[in-house]
Amino acid sequence: MATTNGAVENGQPDKKLPALPRPIRNLEVKFTKIFINNEWHESKSGKKFATYNPSTLEKICDVEEGDKPDVDKAVEAAQAAFQRGSAWRQLDALSRGRLLHQLADLVERDRTTLATLETMDTGKPFLHAFFIDLEGCIKTLRYFAGWADKIQGKTIPTDDNVVCFTRHEPIGVCGAITPWNFPLLMLVWKLAPALCCGNTVVLKPAEQTPLTALHLGSLIKEVGFPPGVVNIVPGFGPTVGAAISSHPQIHKIAFTGSTEVGKLVKEAASRSNLKRVTLELGGKNPCIVCADADLDLAVECAHQGVFFNQGQCCTAASRVFVEEQIYAEFVRRSVEYAKKRPVGDPFDVRTEQGPQIDQKQFDKILELIESGKKEGAKLECGGSAMEDRGLFITPTVFSEVTDNMRIAKEEIFGPVQPILKFKNIEEVIRRANSTDYGLTAAVFTKNLDKALKLASALESGTVWINCYNAIYAQAPFGGFKMSGNGRELGEYALAEYTEVKTVTIKLGDKNP
Amino acid sequence: MLRAAATLGPRLGRRLLSAAATQAVPAPNQQPEIFYNKIFINNEWHDAVSKKTFPTVNPATGEVICQVAEGDKALETLDNGKPYVISYLVDLDMVLKCLRYYAGWADKYHGKTIPIDGDFFSYTRHEPVGVCGQIIPWNFPLLMQAWKLGPALATGNVVVMKVAEQTPLTALYVANLIKEAGFPPGVVNIVPGFGPTAGAAIASHEDVDKVAFTGSTEIGRLIQVAAGSSNLKRVTLELGGKSPNIIMSDADMDWAVEQAHFALFFNQGQCCCAGSRTFVQEDVYNEFVERSVARAKSRVVGNPFDSKTEQGPQVDETQFKKILGYINSGKQEGAKLLCGGGPAADRGYYIQPTVFGDVQDGMTIAKEEIFGPVMQILKFKTIEEVVGRANNSSYGLAAAVFTKDLDKANYLSQALQAGTVWVNCYDVFGAQSPFGGYKMSGSGRELGEYGLQAYTEVKTVTVKIPQKNS
């Protein structure tokens, strides 16, 4: 993912950065149906829904709208694919890994298509989709491909004359509900470990952004995953999402989205069949800049940290705490950055910020901006929609923000940077931690002791020191408190897609 | 894996034959051009400093293939004599799987953060050892190369590899692929040459941090001594064996006979883990011996490029003579020669599949590693007795048990002093599972996650912090 510390890693030591890729103009959207058993289906109800391009506000195309009967059909297929003796269950682990590598190969082959689709559907800058979202997808697939035949149980020395060992088995049919901010990437974060561990899946992509998921379905078929291993049902939360969350034959669900909906998912999961739940939810992530920080680095990281992806990141640096000695200078430099952030057509290579995803988000962000003004924060720049430009919002900076303001407490999910002042370390630790969220935190300092102290004290699933959004397939990611349950990525992700069985064999007491 | 061959087992010859017939296996180029016969250093090809070369010989015909630069300090079959179809379906398949397996480990070999006492933050780094010397044998040239390169490179080391003088060609071909793949120069260096010169130079080099050797126990000793006398470089060894294959009276007879045959005769008997002491429980002894002899007599010996061939020549004249010597000792010491017993052709190094019955523990052929197509069958009464006799060896590489009984399988797999115990199978390998020897069959493990340990140096970092919180 994005790091502001250097070029995106290309994986080979002397490989030069590729020439700027070009999006596919007038791309024809080929895959708009429900994907079950490696086949494309119309919805049982006959209904379709439209997906829109948030830059142009035009409809891209219609997509089959799934509902409970379609989910039932998908689960049936996934169960059949998971039966003992099935092609998928009998496959060597190494071969499962090989299939994931081959899927990564096809994603690489279709990288431009997928990046174009993602940009059309989300409004994110094409170069970001190509170099960040797609890069993350490919690396995550390859990372988990490597784990497939390394998922090891143990042989265990117990009391008594027995042989005791564990098997790390797949859970079974896993449901996944993914968001619209990084549609393909968030899907791959779930798909890769699920398949690596031998599960079968039923996925619901966000209704705002179903297209890249469906294209991925075509690649899954092309690679040759057995039918029923991966099934994709586009549709809405209250129908498809609810059906997945409460399905009695789905044994695990992974959800990325808002904390509000995350709670509903967990309730439905518990009420139905106690299916295992992992959640990646919201954040109000503190970014702590100490007086001894490298100021340029801190300003740039904090800027990218909050504005990246139109501010629509669960990791957004949406509470910047700056030590009072450098506060004024920090604000001044941040405003400079915000004012020159290029906002515009996501297919333009100069653009860093596109439109917000839809009207609902747009309205919510503007409402929070108004609350900032009303509650007494100082509006340094921006603060409104870009004139005559649909869902675009001017990069906005507030200073003199205090902890009780709404913009300091609620997740904005838009291009708004609240900057707060602090005096000392103990104070900022307490303030940073006084939230129900706990997804990420960042610290800017050159001092070893401060760095380690803050890393230990902050109640966040990830702490970044002198960097931001440094996310790697190898390192676990997830939230403390109400930012989520469980971890994605890294070896830790495997535990979420594995069921441990202990086998104990009593040995004969006499010599045989 | 070799499991591919193992599950093919009895029908190995026929299955491979039909695979070749239906063109699952591409036809071999029996006269491949030899492009790579020099020393590979820094992604470049060099003559030996001494300008010396040595010939590499085709064991099927006894003729010289080409000259190879001698380092002082379709190809595999041509060089080694193993049947082409097996080289393609088994050796190469395992090479690919091993490399892909270790590719997956590269970014997953985690150190730990550790809850140490006091106000400290403690963690470990898993660092590469450094310059790794690797000396590989002639029995599975490509595969042994992959077993060594995989873990060494996955953990970030650099390599100086000496390939066996009998079989340098495929390793040198791979060297060119290493260059093509884009490994930085100097990461992998390959030196063809002889043990007393190139091998010894590596084992005693002051700037080599670790040596890994696969070969005979006799040479393994010299390597370990040289390592100790020079710079205490870390040593891992994969050496010889005299592996016991135990057939209980309740075993599936058909399956046991075929597996025991495969266990001994595979790769012309040139396996460190060959099942070279077949212990058969007395109730089923006579039948087992009769069927084993019939199977040995039906083993197809011939030109390794012929898809019907199960057994090619031994690798060279030295081995050929040594094996014939062991066969003679068997005859002289009173073992019952049931079939074979001499050369199988008048050109090349072919030996008839040979079976000795009524072998006693004290005979030379029951104690020493023959490394040829000579099967020893011994009789036993009870399970306790066979455990004692099986373990009565300074070797301890592998062992196998054939039984249907859960308790017997558990009892034997716990009692046998061997790095690998196979139950109702033989020569089943996977890149995922560790392999190595007890006692004088070696030290350390190759393959699996365990294979990474030998190529890793653990560094503990402990940082003082103002206040520790859990």
Side-chain angles (χ1 to χ4, degrees):
Chain A
M1 284 235 351
T3 79
T4 46
N5 288 338
V8 173
E9 176 57 54
N10 276 312
Q12 289 205 19
D14 354 290
K15 201 166 169 188
K16 300 188 197 63
L17 272 178
L20 279 187
R22 290 160 168 277
I24 300 173
R25 294 288 180 176
N26 304 314
L27 175 63
E28 188 206 329
V29 179
K30 291 203 198 116
F31 305 105
T32 60
K33 297 191 180 185
I34 298 173
F35 183 73
I36 296 176
N37 265 332
N38 284 5
E39 295 161 350
W40 300 100
H41 300 262
E42 283 165 13
S43 66
K44 294 248 186 210
S45 65
K47 282 171 37 179
K48 297 193 215 294
F49 68 100
T51 184
Y52 294 90
N53 180 335
S55 313
T56 60
L57 298 177
E58 282 163 11
K59 177 165 97 165
I60 302 172
C61 64
D62 286 316
V63 174
E64 294 298 319
E65 182 181 335
D67 202 325
K68 185 171 182 319
D70 306 284
V71 170
D72 286 340
K73 192 159 143 200
V75 172
E76 242 177 73
Q79 274 191 298
F82 191 72
Q83 282 302 294
R84 280 181 57 76
S86 74
W88 183 239
R89 293 298 296 274
Q90 296 233 283
L91 203 59
D92 284 340
L94 185 71
S95 303
R96 285 205 306 265
R98 190 100 179 86
L99 288 174
L100 282 169
H101 266 300
Q102 288 168 331
L103 183 60
D105 291 342
L106 292 187
V107 170
E108 267 188 297
R109 182 196 69 189
D110 288 5
R111 190 170 180 167
T112 309
T113 301
L114 286 163
T116 304
L117 278 174
E118 201 77 305
T119 297
M120 283 163 57
D121 225 357
T122 63
K124 69 174 68 208
F126 172 76
L127 289 183
H128 292 187
F130 190 94
F131 283 117
I132 296 171
D133 297 58
L134 266 299
E135 180 89 0
C137 287
I138 293 160
K139 285 186 160 169
T140 303
L141 285 168
R142 293 203 192 287
Y143 176 77
F144 282 104
W147 266 122
D149 59 353
K150 301 172 180 64
I151 298 168
Q152 300 170 151
K154 304 170 189 288
T155 61
I156 300 166
T158 61
D159 293 356
D160 295 341
N161 194 26
V162 299
V163 165
C164 182
F165 61 91
T166 54
R167 284 173 50 84
H168 282 200
E169 303 188 348
I171 300 177
V173 180
C174 298
I177 300 174
T178 53
W180 47 257
N181 59 345
F182 294 89
L184 193 62
L185 184 60
M186 293 299 102
L187 194 146
V188 167
W189 278 24
K190 291 162 186 47
L191 189 67
L195 296 180
C196 152
C197 296
N199 297 283
T200 57
V201 291
V202 175
L203 310 164
K204 173 196 159 317
E207 57 271 23
Q208 297 91 335
T209 56
L211 300 181
T212 43
L214 295 174
H215 188 98
L216 190 73
S218 76
L219 301 182
I220 280 160
K221 176 178 175 157
E222 193 181 334
V223 164
F225 281 87
V229 171
V230 180
N231 307 278
I232 306 174
V233 185
F236 291 83
T239 46
V240 177
I244 291 176
S245 306
S246 48
H247 202 292
Q249 266 79 52
I250 291 180
H251 295 292
K252 182 253 165 31
I253 185 163
F255 171 81
T256 297
S258 69
T259 297
E260 178 198 353
V261 178
K263 288 166 90 174
L264 297 177
V265 168
K266 192 165 182 178
E267 278 172 50
S270 309
R271 205 171 291 125
S272 54
N273 65 344
L274 279 176
K275 54 175 67 59
R276 289 98 180 85
V277 178
T278 50
L279 304 170
E280 295 280 349
L281 308 175
K284 192 65 183 173
N285 308 297
C287 177
I288 298 168
V289 184
C290 300
D292 73 330
D294 172 339
L295 195 58
D296 274 331
L297 178 70
V299 167
E300 196 197 341
C301 284
H303 173 82
Q304 293 296 353
V306 76
F307 289 106
F308 175 62
N309 208 45
Q310 294 69 252
Q312 298 165 151
C313 291
C314 46
T315 63
S318 53
R319 285 185 294 158
V320 186
F321 290 96
V322 182
E323 202 164 3
E324 58 178 0
Q325 299 94 297
I326 52 163
Y327 186 81
E329 182 59 19
F330 184 94
V331 170
R332 192 188 66 72
R333 295 196 201 188
S334 299
V335 172
E336 237 173 65
Y337 256 94
K339 280 179 169 166
K340 55 180 194 271
R341 189 172 183 78
V343 183
D345 173 9
F347 282 111
D348 184 331
V349 305
R350 291 160 299 180
T351 297
E352 283 192 52
Q353 179 176 318
Q356 306 311 123
I357 187 71
D358 62 19
Q359 192 66 46
K360 183 167 156 212
Q361 287 295 314
F362 177 84
D363 290 341
K364 178 175 150 205
I365 297 159
L366 287 180
E367 197 234 326
L368 278 159
I369 290 176
E370 287 311 308
S371 82
K373 294 174 190 168
K374 281 204 195 79
E375 289 179 343
K378 183 171 169 209
L379 180 67
E380 296 276 351
C381 69
S384 61
M386 300 203 81
E387 290 185 48
D388 74 12
R389 286 254 227 116
L391 299 172
F392 293 82
I393 295 180
T394 333
T396 299
V397 178
F398 280 106
S399 63
E400 310 301 330
V401 177
T402 56
D403 291 0
N404 56 319
M405 295 176 185
R406 284 183 67 200
I407 56 171
K409 295 198 295 192
E410 292 173 40
E411 193 178 34
I412 302 173
F413 234 60
V416 182
Q417 183 182 45
I419 310 182
L420 305 87
K421 193 186 294 184
F422 75 94
K423 274 188 162 59
N424 63 63
I425 291 288
E426 287 306 327
E427 170 210 335
V428 80
I429 289 172
R430 190 184 34 81
R431 289 167 64 192
N433 285 342
S434 47
T435 165
D436 286 330
Y437 288 120
L439 190 56
T440 65
V443 175
F444 290 86
T445 178
K446 289 186 186 138
N447 183 280
L448 177 62
D449 283 349
K450 251 185 238 178
L452 291 179
K453 177 173 189 165
L454 283 161
S456 152
L458 290 164
E459 292 161 4
S460 308
T462 298
V463 179
W464 286 306
I465 306 205
N466 295 333
C467 57
Y468 209 91
N469 275 341
I471 293 179
Y472 309 101
Q474 300 89 359
F477 181 86
F480 278 39
K481 303 191 276 188
M482 292 184 79
S483 283
N485 292 158
R487 292 291 175 271
E488 296 194 289
L489 304 183
E491 183 179 10
Y492 296 72
L494 302 174
E496 315 284 8
Y497 288 95
T498 297
E499 199 73 56
V500 176
K501 172 188 287 177
T502 304
V503 178
T504 303
I505 305 177
K506 170 101 175 58
L507 297 178
D509 285 322
K510 301 188 307 192
N511 280 344
Chain B
M1 300 298 126
L2 266 178
R3 178 181 64 194
T7 51
L8 299 179
R11 296 150 274 279
L12 178 68
R14 268 165 272 155
R15 177 87 161 259
L16 291 172
L17 198 157
S18 65
T22 58
Q23 282 159 6
V25 178
N29 174 1
Q30 299 198 24
Q31 317 251 331
E33 258 191 273
I34 313 294
F35 292 110
Y36 311 112
N37 60 353
K38 294 192 177 191
I39 299 173
F40 183 76
I41 295 175
N42 266 334
N43 284 9
E44 295 162 346
W45 296 98
H46 300 263
D47 287 323
V49 168
S50 67
K51 299 292 179 208
K52 274 163 59 176
T53 61
F54 66 94
T56 184
V57 170
N58 180 345
T61 59
E63 291 160 0
V64 171
I65 302 171
C66 68
Q67 296 290 333
V68 180
E70 178 178 335
D72 225 327
K73 307 187 185 157
L75 271 179
E76 194 83 312
T77 291
L78 198 63
D79 223 357
N80 166 288
K82 62 176 71 203
Y84 171 78
V85 174
I86 294 189
S87 184
Y88 187 90
L89 288 179
V90 178
D91 289 61
L92 263 301
D93 182 65
M94 291 176 70
V95 165
L96 291 170
K97 286 179 164 174
C98 178
L99 293 173
R100 292 203 166 111
Y101 176 78
Y102 278 107
W105 267 119
D107 58 357
K108 301 176 179 62
Y109 195 44
H110 306 136
K112 303 167 190 291
T113 61
I114 298 163
I116 192 175
D117 288 357
D119 287 331
F120 298 98
F121 170 53
S122 185
Y123 64 94
T124 54
R125 285 173 50 82
H126 282 190
E127 302 189 347
V129 176
V131 178
C132 298
Q134 303 184 319
I135 302 172
I136 60 174
W138 48 257
N139 60 344
F140 293 91
L142 269 177
L143 185 58
M144 294 298 102
Q145 182 187 44
W147 279 26
K148 300 265 179 301
L149 288 181
L153 299 177
T155 42
N157 295 282
V158 298
V159 167
V160 175
M161 175 179 279
K162 174 198 136 1
V163 298
E165 56 272 26
Q166 298 89 337
T167 55
L169 300 179
T170 45
L172 294 174
Y173 188 96
V174 168
N176 201 59
L177 298 179
I178 284 167
K179 176 176 178 173
E180 194 181 326
F183 284 87
V187 171
V188 180
N189 306 278
I190 304 192
V191 182
F194 291 83
T197 44
I202 288 176
S204 51
H205 204 289
E206 294 290 335
D207 293 327
V208 168
D209 302 297
K210 176 236 166 24
V211 66
F213 170 78
T214 297
S216 68
T217 296
E218 178 198 353
I219 304 296
R221 261 206 176 97
L222 298 179
I223 303 264
Q224 192 154 318
V225 166
S229 319
S230 54
N231 67 342
L232 281 175
K233 54 175 64 61
R234 291 97 179 80
V235 178
T236 49
L237 304 170
E238 295 278 351
L239 308 175
K242 194 69 185 176
S243 302
N245 185 5
I246 301 169
I247 318 291
M248 305 301 292
S249 54
D250 72 334
D252 174 339
M253 175 62 70
D254 272 334
W255 180 246
V257 166
E258 190 52 44
Q259 287 297 293
H261 175 83
F262 172 68
L264 189 289
F265 288 100
F266 181 65
N267 208 44
Q268 294 66 250
Q270 299 165 152
C271 290
C272 47
C273 52
S276 49
R277 288 184 291 156
T278 309
F279 289 96
V280 184
Q281 200 157 27
E282 58 180 5
D283 296 348
V284 297
Y285 178 84
N286 289 334
E287 193 188 348
F288 185 92
V289 168
E290 197 185 311
R291 292 201 204 193
S292 298
V293 169
R295 181 62 183 94
K297 281 177 171 166
S298 76
R299 190 169 185 77
V300 180
V301 182
N303 175 2
F305 283 108
D306 185 336
S307 61
K308 291 190 281 293
T309 295
E310 291 179 272
Q311 179 177 316
Q314 307 311 122
V315 79
D316 64 13
E317 194 178 5
T318 310
Q319 289 295 315
F320 178 74
K321 287 191 169 140
K322 182 171 149 207
I323 297 160
L324 292 176
Y326 278 116
I327 292 175
N328 271 333
S329 86
K331 293 174 189 167
Q332 269 156 30
E333 291 179 3
K336 201 158 137 201
L337 179 68
L338 297 168
C339 69
D346 36 4
R347 198 163 84 115
Y349 311 120
Y350 296 89
I351 295 182
Q352 296 171 317
T354 300
V355 179
F356 282 106
D358 293 348
V359 176
Q360 305 300 318
D361 291 358
M363 293 175 181
T364 306
I365 56 171
K367 296 197 298 191
E368 294 185 22
E369 192 179 36
I370 300 174
F371 231 60
V374 184
M375 184 179 201
Q376 286 64 242
I377 310 184
L378 306 89
K379 191 189 297 186
F380 75 94
K381 269 194 164 64
T382 70
I383 198 171
E384 295 87 341
E385 169 208 338
V386 78
V387 163
R389 288 168 64 190
N391 285 340
N392 184 23
S393 165
S394 55
Y395 289 119
L397 189 54
V401 175
F402 286 81
T403 179
K404 291 184 186 136
D405 186 273
L406 179 62
D407 285 343
K408 286 181 191 162
N410 271 313
Y411 179 88
L412 285 165
S413 54
Q414 291 184 15
L416 290 163
Q417 291 166 345
T420 298
V421 178
W422 285 300
V423 180
N424 293 331
C425 57
Y426 209 95
D427 275 343
V428 176
F429 287 87
Q432 305 88 358
S433 286
F435 180 83
Y438 279 41
K439 305 192 273 190
M440 292 184 78
S441 284
S443 52
R445 291 292 175 271
E446 294 192 290
L447 301 185
E449 182 179 4
Y450 298 76
L452 299 171
Q453 289 171 11
Y455 289 95
T456 297
E457 199 72 52
V458 176
K459 171 188 287 175
T460 302
V461 179
T462 302
V463 182
K464 172 143 169 28
I465 55 174
Q467 183 195 80
K468 186 252 315 280
N469 283 276
S470 62

